[in-house]
Every structure is written in C-alpha cells, then in structure tokens.
Amino acid sequence: RATLRETLKFTGHQKSAVHILAGATVATFWGWGIMWWLTAYLGRSYHLTPGDAGAILGPINLFGGGAITLLTAWLVYVNGKIDLRRDAWLIAGTILVTTVPGIWMFLTHSLALTKWLLWIFVSLNYLYLGPTFGMLQNLVPARMRGLIAAVLLFVANVANLAIAPQLMGILSDVIAARIPNPDESLRYVLLGTAFTGVWAAWHYLVAARTLKEDLARAGSAASGIASPSSIARTSPAHTA
C-alpha cells in the first residue's frame, strides 16, 4: 500500500492532477463557500427567517442537485467512451456558466429573480464533484487512489469549512463598519467571491492539456477506461 509521501510525490509530477486538486479546492471555496452563507444573506438582504430561507434552498439542493448529479453520471459515462478530457472541459464550462448567475444574484435586489438564479447556481455546483474524483483517481496508480481521494476531501473541506466561513465573515464585518447599510456588507463579500469561479475553471482547462499523457503515466488507458491489472503494476519508480 502506498504511503502519503509516495502519493503526494507521484501526484506532484502529474500536472493535470495538481491543477485538478487546485481547481477543486477553489471551486469548493467559490461554490460551497457562497452556499454556506446563503441563509444569512437571504436574512440580511431580504429579511427572511432561517425557515423561509430553508424553504427556498432545501428543494433546490434536493431536486436541482439530485437532477444534476444524475445528469452528470450520464455525461461522464458518455465522455469516458470518447475522451476523458471532456470531463475537464465540462467542469470548466459549467463553472464559467454558473459564475454568471453567481454574480448576478448579488447584483440584483429582486428576491424573485434571486430565487431563479439560486436554482441555477446551487444546482450546477453539484456537477464538478463526481468527475473530479474520477479524473483524479485515474491519474494515480490503483494503490494510491484511496489516499488521493482523502487528500482531495481534506483540501476541499479546509477551503469550504475552515477558510470560507471565517474569511467571508471577517470581511463582512470589516465592510459593515464602513458602509451606510451594514446589512448589505455580506452581499458585497459574496459578490467578490463569485468571481473566483473563473479561477477554478482556469485550473480545469489547464488540466485538460496534459490529461491524456498523465493518464498514460498512471497506467490508465488514454480513453479513460482504466485497466486494473496495468494500474496495479504501475509505480512511481516505473513511471518517472
């Protein structure tokens, strides 16, 4: 079984894997970091109770997120038969598209429009998760897959649960003390955060450039259909 040090060393030489890790981290900060604050935002800017905000966000996560997850599974299946780079392009394109309503919903002061934009933004944030895990685990030998998945979960959750809540909250407090309507400070912070979606998309686009070569290096077929026996025989020493 591979050690964490071996896994990180091998991954560090896989350019596409590094960019996928970075892209997923930024995407988690961007999307889920914003979603972390949505209940508070709806309360401050539209004076909704937590229950009212939950009545809006709950169905979006359940039905919108569920539908996008099922659609993503089918798209990944199709992409795997054609070109695995299409997964990276799919994620990058979706994040770029989702960034538009992500910005728009903090520019508008219409609750009705915000609800529609939330359906797009929140639902599409479920798309990048599955393909990201699939690509990343195919970019390392089989014995490293569990560890690289754990690394992804760790860095993504640090971005989402440690950095995003604290950073956005601190910035909101700082801005609140300097504007006429302190309740709107969170709107400005989330608006600025929404632009980081472009950063996340860039990483996935760059990852696509060397994805085929890195898949071959890890022992995966260029088509994206991994051979368990060939991956098992692959090690950092053999692929350096």
Side-chain angles (χ1 to χ4, degrees), residues 10-22 136 139 203 206-211 213-214 217:
F10 183 89
T11 304
H13 288 90
Q14 297 280 75
K15 291 182 180 180
S16 57
V18 172
H19 279 287
I20 288 171
L21 275 171
L136 191 60
L139 285 166
H203 280 293
V206 175
R209 296 176 184 173
T210 58
L211 190 60
E213 294 85 345
D214 291 341
R217 184 171 183 265

Side-chain angles (χ1 to χ4, degrees), residues 26 34 53 60 102 107 111 158 161 163 183-184 235:
V26 178
I34 287 176
I60 298 175
L107 289 174
L111 179 58
V158 167
L161 300 176
I163 299 176
D183 287 342
E184 290 291 84
S235 68

Side-chain angles (χ1 to χ4, degrees), residues 59-74 119 123 126:
I60 298 175
N61 282 279
L62 176 60
F63 299 111
I68 290 299
T69 300
L70 293 175
L71 175 61
T72 303
W74 178 77
W119 271 97
S123 299
Y126 283 83

Side-chain angles (χ1 to χ4, degrees), residues 44-90:
R44 295 184 188 182
S45 294
Y46 295 104
H47 309 293
L48 299 185
T49 66
D52 291 336
I56 295 172
L57 297 172
I60 298 175
N61 282 279
L62 176 60
F63 299 111
I68 290 299
T69 300
L70 293 175
L71 175 61
T72 303
W74 178 77
L75 290 172
V76 169
Y77 170 75
V78 173
N79 290 345
K81 290 187 172 184
I82 302 173
D83 188 339
L84 247 184
R85 291 178 299 177
R86 291 177 58 162
D87 284 345
W89 295 330
L90 171 66

Side-chain angles (χ1 to χ4, degrees), residues 128-205:
Y128 78 96
L129 296 169
T132 292
F133 276 98
M135 287 188 293
L136 191 60
Q137 290 185 86
N138 268 329
L139 285 166
V140 297
R143 63 195 183 95
M144 298 180 180
R145 289 180 175 179
L147 277 173
I148 199 60
V151 170
L152 173 58
L153 285 169
F154 176 76
V155 296
N157 279 298
V158 167
N160 174 34
L161 300 176
I163 299 176
Q166 292 297 323
L167 180 59
M168 294 181 195
I170 291 170
L171 289 175
S172 179
D173 289 343
V174 171
I175 293 173
R178 291 165 171 78
I179 60 175
N181 185 0
D183 287 342
E184 290 291 84
S185 64
L186 186 57
R187 177 192 295 273
Y188 301 134
V189 172
L190 297 181
L191 174 60
T193 303
F195 285 91
T196 60
V198 177
W199 180 12
W202 177 80
H203 280 293
Y204 282 100
L205 288 173

Side-chain angles (χ1 to χ4, degrees), residues 106-127:
F106 300 119
L107 289 174
T108 182
H109 290 268
S110 167
L111 179 58
L113 178 57
T114 297
K115 290 179 181 179
W116 284 108
L117 295 171
L118 283 170
W119 271 97
I120 301 172
F121 180 82
V122 173
S123 299
L124 289 180
N125 259 283
Y126 283 83
L127 184 139

